[in-house]
Amino acid sequence: MTGILTGMRVVEGSAFVAVPLAGMTLAQMGADVIRFDRIGGGLDAGRWPLAPNGSSLFWNGMNKGKRSVAVDMKSPRGKELVTQIITAPGEDAGMFLTNLRVRGWMDHETLSQFRKDLIMVTLMGDRHGRPAVDYTVNPSLGFPAITGPQGSSDPVAHALPAWDCIAGNLVVASLLAAERHRLRTGQGHDVELSLKDVAAAMLGHLGILADAELGGTRREKSGNSLYGAYGQDFVCADGQRVMVIGLTDRQWIGLVKATGTGAQIEALASETGQNLRDEGVRWKLRARITAILAPWFAARRVSDFEDLFDQSGVTWSVFRDFEGAMQHDPDLSEANPMFERVQQPGLGKILTPRSPVSFKGQDPKRAEPAPALGLHTEEVLCDVVRMSDTEIAQLFDQGIVQSPAYAVKRPAA
Amino acid sequence: MTGILTGMRVVEGSAFVAVPLAGMTLAQMGADVIRFDRIGGGLDAGRWPLAPNGSSLFWNGMNKGKRSVAVDMKSPRGKELVTQIITAPGEDAGMFLTNLRVRGWMDHETLSQFRKDLIMVTLMGDRHGRPAVDYTVNPSLGFPAITGPQGSSDPVAHALPAWDCIAGNLVVASLLAAERHRLRTGQGHDVELSLKDVAAAMLGHLGILADAELGGTRREKSGNSLYGAYGQDFVCADGQRVMVIGLTDRQWIGLVKATGTGAQIEALASETGQNLRDEGVRWKLRARITAILAPWFAARRVSDFEDLFDQSGVTWSVFRDFEGAMQHDPDLSEANPMFERVQQPGLGKILTPRSPVSFKGQDPKRAEPAPALGLHTEEVLCDVVRMSDTEIAQLFDQGIVQSPAYAVKRPAA
């Protein structure tokens, strides 16, 4: 039993990115996280990418270290079981995360009748209860319109489900905030947030709404430039592309010094009468700065300057694809203590991250594989719902619950 | 005093996105968050976007509802004051968030000498302590290589600082997890995470590392298509672009039904011998599906089908830019209870988000403006450090601390 959240039990009824990520983040910090799914698997059971054997690498990634229960939720007995799992006693239990938003039997009003101090965190699509996913929220709020090459008019959506990941971590924070309050007051909580509101709020936090409202600096596509200061990508003599940053004064001076372009930059300052120590000036003059730096990079291979850049503290990186990153970046290997090779049944030993958060002095919780669907059905019915072996066997016989072991033991007639 | 975290006090020494966002998220949940900066402002004091009056809309967005203290951190007395603020007594205090990573006087080892149960969460660039920002982490891990139009080879970086936002919310979760543990054990915590590790772990969680390792379904650029199932953007007769989703079975069937393209989709299934109820088949046949749907959208204005789509529960959205979203989407207006118009000194009443998380039954904490730099210097020295008026006046006179009011009261000679 390791991890900062050891002892905490959280139940999750979910699919896709945000809420599964939230549960997994808690599991990687040591919580006992029980995910329930319908028999055969939930909406994300076959989400891509898939392994050569057809199993979902996405599902495996998002459910590492959880306990999995498979239940027929259409049956009244199945609904009752899910209710029992969610509302089971325990001081450190009675916490439920979901994005399924099932009214009638799995809402806070109903569930809290069985456990008054239940904390339930529900992530919705939008605040109206309408469906919304990262792929619709993102275009509706404007980021694709400022993504991609300068001058182009086609919107470019991000490939990372960023709003889902942001919302998932906020679900974790919301649960812990509610649990903190419950510990002091005994009070349960019905917590709601929506993916679209999380994104809309972020537009405010980043100053984008105020900018649009005040008409200060209408933002357009600017390729891979760092917005509002200096940062640019360059192609080098070996064909590799690098990103270099001059966001802070120190980064900017370091970049100019490392590339030996001080005289040209000073000439640019004289010619324009502008002070390039001002980050906004660097942004406005970025095309001129890039014209000065581009020949320097074009004449050099990455191996010609990487040591110099690292030693002089330049903030920079090489563009890679996923395969290239895994091959060349030690941070994506077992050289990084965050990663272990973990045996994932059917797939072999896979490079698997544990939590990126290190609580020094606590034993880190090791990386764990994802469960097979329903792997812990029997165990959870026994140790959480406290059912007898006979009752559990009946549920399996009636097909109300399932597990891989049971499927093997008693194949369908 | 409202908000689920009322009573908690957190000190923040930070700049840019992730840690300021973390502090603000806590402030919006009711915590007393004190951000300290050097006199004149920190590294992000002038971060774009800027208001017409030159003030940073970014800074305002990221520091709403915090208390601001301005201190000369180069002076020994200034360092002492920051130490006192961070380690001040209080059961619900002794929590410190930072991305500044100052060794010697502001590290966990030193600070915890003054408060043994200090919780300090440090966000680094990478795990080696090297500088890294969202703009360098993202290219190095591969997402730009799969972003943008199919067939293009130029990497496209995201415009949203997604990793920063993800890491910021994880900083909140980490702090609350550590505080939960401290409450039970009395133990302080030195918590570390790095922006690059947060991103690298997410590649694992999303199944991308396993996919790259197993060589299952090498992922390439696919424009605005939803990866692994069906989702696509279409240009309509009025020139507007919409995104429609067929990720789940229900979404897919709803989309086909709403567009009346059932017969053509069935013909495609017959011709290819493939079952389009399989999400992976939809992904592989996406170009064919898009060819069927495109004429339907090209012949219609958004106003022709929006009611139909909403009533039949289609998951869809309109692409907008920031200005268009603010003009046309009621979710980005006071019609959304998450937003209020808040007086931001010097800028007028600005549409301002409060927390997107709703804890029902708790009074929501209202949206608040950002402080002027140093606005709460005097107040914090008085109520947190418990200094006398005479001591505080001396510090102002010596220029070790600053506040806007004091600058007005006693202009430089």
Side-chain angles (χ1 to χ4, degrees):
Chain A
M1 296 276 276
T2 54
I4 194 100
L5 296 180
T6 297
M8 178 183 235
R9 188 170 72 229
V10 178
V11 180
E12 177 196 318
S14 69
F16 300 118
V17 185
V19 175
L21 175 65
M24 201 206 50
T25 300
L26 292 162
Q28 291 203 319
M29 288 183 181
D32 171 19
V33 177
I34 300 168
R35 171 168 168 164
F36 62 83
D37 281 285
R38 62 190 183 201
I39 288 171
L43 292 171
D44 56 354
R47 187 81 182 100
W48 279 43
L50 305 181
N53 75 359
S55 74
S56 168
L57 298 173
F58 172 87
W59 202 93
N60 285 344
M62 283 294 167
N63 294 292
K64 296 187 294 284
K66 295 179 192 172
R67 295 203 281 173
S68 172
V69 173
V71 189
D72 172 14
M73 278 179 278
K74 287 195 178 149
S75 72
R77 187 73 185 100
K79 290 178 188 176
E80 195 183 357
L81 286 177
V82 168
T83 302
Q84 288 175 298
I85 293 169
I86 294 171
T87 60
E91 196 199 331
D92 251 7
M95 291 173 263
F96 178 41
L97 306 179
T98 191
N99 64 325
L100 302 179
R101 202 168 168 76
V102 177
R103 295 291 191 196
W105 69 274
M106 213 174 76
D107 55 23
H108 186 267
E109 193 186 342
T110 311
L111 290 172
S112 61
Q113 288 167 13
F114 298 92
R115 177 158 182 158
K116 208 167 171 299
D117 69 348
L118 177 72
I119 295 168
M120 175 165 170
V121 184
T122 305
L123 178 70
M124 302 181 290
D126 75 9
R127 68 192 175 92
H128 313 280
R130 289 185 300 230
V133 295
D134 192 291
Y135 284 96
T136 57
V137 164
N138 191 47
S140 71
L141 293 178
F143 271 101
I146 62 154
T147 303
Q150 194 159 357
S152 153
S153 63
D154 287 342
V156 177
H158 55 212
L160 170 72
W163 300 118
D164 277 329
C165 298
I166 293 166
N169 282 349
L170 191 55
V171 165
V172 177
S174 303
L175 177 77
L176 292 172
E179 199 258 349
R180 183 179 190 279
H181 192 264
R182 182 176 75 174
L183 204 67
R184 284 162 170 77
T185 62
Q187 194 183 315
H189 288 282
D190 182 11
V191 186
E192 277 190 359
L193 64 166
S194 79
L195 189 67
K196 189 172 180 190
D197 271 359
V198 169
M202 198 64 79
L203 292 194
H205 303 336
L206 292 165
I208 290 168
L209 294 184
D211 190 32
E213 195 168 10
L214 299 171
T217 53
R218 190 188 162 90
R219 198 168 154 184
E220 289 170 349
K221 284 173 187 268
S222 55
N224 294 334
S225 301
L226 182 151
Y227 171 69
Y230 191 74
Q232 196 61 54
D233 55 330
F234 292 95
V235 178
C236 303
D238 54 8
Q240 293 195 76
R241 187 184 294 254
V242 296
M243 184 78 196
V244 298
I245 305 294
L247 169 58
T248 65
D249 204 41
R250 188 171 156 190
Q251 286 171 330
W252 168 243
I253 291 168
L255 175 62
V256 171
K257 197 173 163 200
T259 54
T261 50
Q264 289 156 278
I265 294 294
E266 262 182 52
L268 176 62
S270 302
E271 183 205 322
T272 58
Q274 301 276 316
N275 177 9
L276 284 135
R277 301 283 289 268
D278 177 330
E279 62 202 73
V281 169
R282 295 200 289 277
W283 169 245
K284 287 173 192 157
L285 294 179
R286 67 187 181 281
R288 299 290 304 275
I289 298 170
T290 297
I292 292 170
L293 292 172
W296 193 91
F297 287 99
R300 283 166 181 81
R301 294 162 300 183
V302 170
S303 57
D304 295 332
F305 60 79
E306 59 186 344
D307 289 346
L308 168 71
F309 273 22
D310 282 342
Q311 280 153 24
S312 29
V314 174
T315 302
W316 73 292
S317 71
V318 177
F319 280 75
R320 302 194 202 277
D321 57 18
F322 297 134
E323 291 78 10
M326 282 200 82
Q327 213 176 329
H328 298 294
D329 190 339
D331 289 349
L332 287 181
S333 78
E334 285 172 285
N336 182 347
M338 185 178 74
F339 283 105
E340 290 174 67
R341 293 216 160 263
V342 172
Q343 181 71 38
Q344 184 65 47
L347 300 178
K349 287 202 160 188
I350 303 275
L351 192 70
T352 305
R354 50 190 191 214
S355 171
V357 187
S358 155
F359 297 87
K360 296 193 179 179
Q362 294 292 118
D363 286 334
K365 177 141 189 198
R366 304 209 37 194
E368 287 178 297
L373 186 76
L375 183 64
H376 306 94
T377 301
E378 192 170 349
E379 184 182 298
V380 167
L381 292 178
C382 174
D383 74 31
V384 175
V385 189
R386 306 265 173 214
M387 299 179 84
S388 71
D389 290 353
T390 319
E391 290 173 292
I392 293 171
Q394 271 179 353
L395 290 169
F396 276 100
D397 284 340
Q398 292 162 3
I400 289 166
V401 298
Q402 208 167 52
S403 76
Y406 201 85
V408 170
K409 271 190 285 184
R410 308 201 188 180
Chain B
M1 295 274 278
T2 53
I4 195 98
L5 295 180
T6 296
M8 179 182 233
R9 188 170 71 229
V10 178
V11 180
E12 178 197 317
S14 68
F16 299 118
V17 184
V19 174
L21 175 65
M24 201 206 50
T25 300
L26 292 162
Q28 292 201 320
M29 289 184 181
D32 171 21
V33 178
I34 300 167
R35 171 167 167 163
F36 62 82
D37 281 285
R38 63 189 183 200
I39 289 171
L43 293 171
D44 56 355
R47 187 79 182 101
W48 279 43
L50 305 182
N53 74 1
S55 73
S56 168
L57 298 173
F58 173 88
W59 201 92
N60 286 342
M62 283 294 167
N63 294 293
K64 296 187 293 284
K66 295 179 191 172
R67 296 203 280 173
S68 171
V69 173
V71 189
D72 173 13
M73 278 180 278
K74 287 196 178 148
S75 71
R77 188 72 184 99
K79 290 178 187 176
E80 195 183 358
L81 286 176
V82 168
T83 303
Q84 287 175 299
I85 293 169
I86 294 171
T87 61
E91 196 200 331
D92 251 6
M95 290 173 263
F96 178 40
L97 306 178
T98 191
N99 65 325
L100 301 179
R101 203 167 166 77
V102 178
R103 294 293 191 193
W105 69 275
M106 212 174 75
D107 54 23
H108 186 268
E109 192 186 343
T110 310
L111 291 171
S112 62
Q113 288 167 14
F114 298 93
R115 178 160 179 156
K116 205 165 172 301
D117 68 349
L118 177 72
I119 296 169
M120 174 164 172
V121 184
T122 306
L123 178 70
M124 302 181 291
D126 75 11
R127 69 191 174 93
H128 312 281
R130 289 186 302 230
V133 296
D134 192 291
Y135 284 95
T136 57
V137 164
N138 191 47
S140 71
L141 293 178
F143 271 101
I146 62 155
T147 303
Q150 195 160 358
S152 152
S153 64
D154 287 343
V156 177
H158 56 212
L160 170 71
W163 300 118
D164 277 329
C165 298
I166 294 165
N169 282 350
L170 191 54
V171 165
V172 176
S174 304
L175 177 76
L176 293 171
E179 199 260 347
R180 184 180 189 279
H181 192 265
R182 183 176 75 174
L183 204 67
R184 284 160 169 77
T185 62
Q187 193 183 315
H189 288 284
D190 181 11
V191 186
E192 276 190 0
L193 63 167
S194 79
L195 189 67
K196 189 172 180 191
D197 271 358
V198 169
M202 198 64 79
L203 292 194
H205 304 335
L206 291 165
I208 290 168
L209 294 184
D211 189 32
E213 195 168 9
L214 299 171
T217 53
R218 190 190 162 88
R219 200 168 153 184
E220 289 170 349
K221 283 173 187 269
S222 55
N224 294 334
S225 301
L226 183 150
Y227 171 69
Y230 190 76
Q232 195 60 53
D233 55 332
F234 293 95
V235 178
C236 304
D238 55 9
Q240 293 196 76
R241 186 185 294 255
V242 296
M243 184 78 196
V244 298
I245 305 294
L247 169 58
T248 65
D249 205 40
R250 189 171 156 190
Q251 285 170 331
W252 168 242
I253 291 168
L255 176 62
V256 171
K257 199 173 162 201
T259 53
T261 50
Q264 290 157 277
I265 295 293
E266 263 182 51
L268 175 62
S270 303
E271 184 204 321
T272 57
Q274 301 275 317
N275 176 10
L276 283 136
R277 301 283 288 269
D278 177 331
E279 62 201 75
V281 169
R282 296 200 288 278
W283 169 244
K284 288 173 193 157
L285 294 178
R286 67 187 183 281
R288 300 289 304 273
I289 298 171
T290 297
I292 292 170
L293 292 172
W296 192 92
F297 287 99
R300 283 164 180 83
R301 293 162 301 183
V302 170
S303 57
D304 294 332
F305 60 80
E306 59 185 344
D307 289 347
L308 169 70
F309 272 22
D310 282 342
Q311 280 153 25
S312 26
V314 174
T315 303
W316 73 292
S317 70
V318 178
F319 280 74
R320 301 193 201 277
D321 58 18
F322 297 134
E323 292 77 9
M326 282 201 82
Q327 213 174 329
H328 299 294
D329 189 339
D331 289 349
L332 287 181
S333 78
E334 284 173 286
N336 182 347
M338 185 178 73
F339 283 105
E340 290 173 68
R341 292 214 161 265
V342 172
Q343 181 70 39
Q344 183 66 47
L347 301 178
K349 285 200 161 191
I350 303 276
L351 192 70
T352 305
R354 49 192 193 212
S355 173
V357 186
S358 154
F359 297 87
K360 297 191 179 180
Q362 295 291 118
D363 287 334
K365 176 142 189 198
R366 304 205 42 188
E368 289 178 297
L373 186 76
L375 184 64
H376 306 94
T377 301
E378 191 170 350
E379 185 182 299
V380 168
L381 293 178
C382 173
D383 74 31
V384 175
V385 189
R386 305 267 174 214
M387 298 178 86
S388 70
D389 290 354
T390 319
E391 288 173 295
I392 293 172
Q394 270 178 355
L395 289 170
F396 276 102
D397 284 339
Q398 291 162 3
I400 290 165
V401 297
Q402 209 168 51
S403 76
Y406 201 86
V408 170
K409 271 191 286 186
R410 307 202 188 181

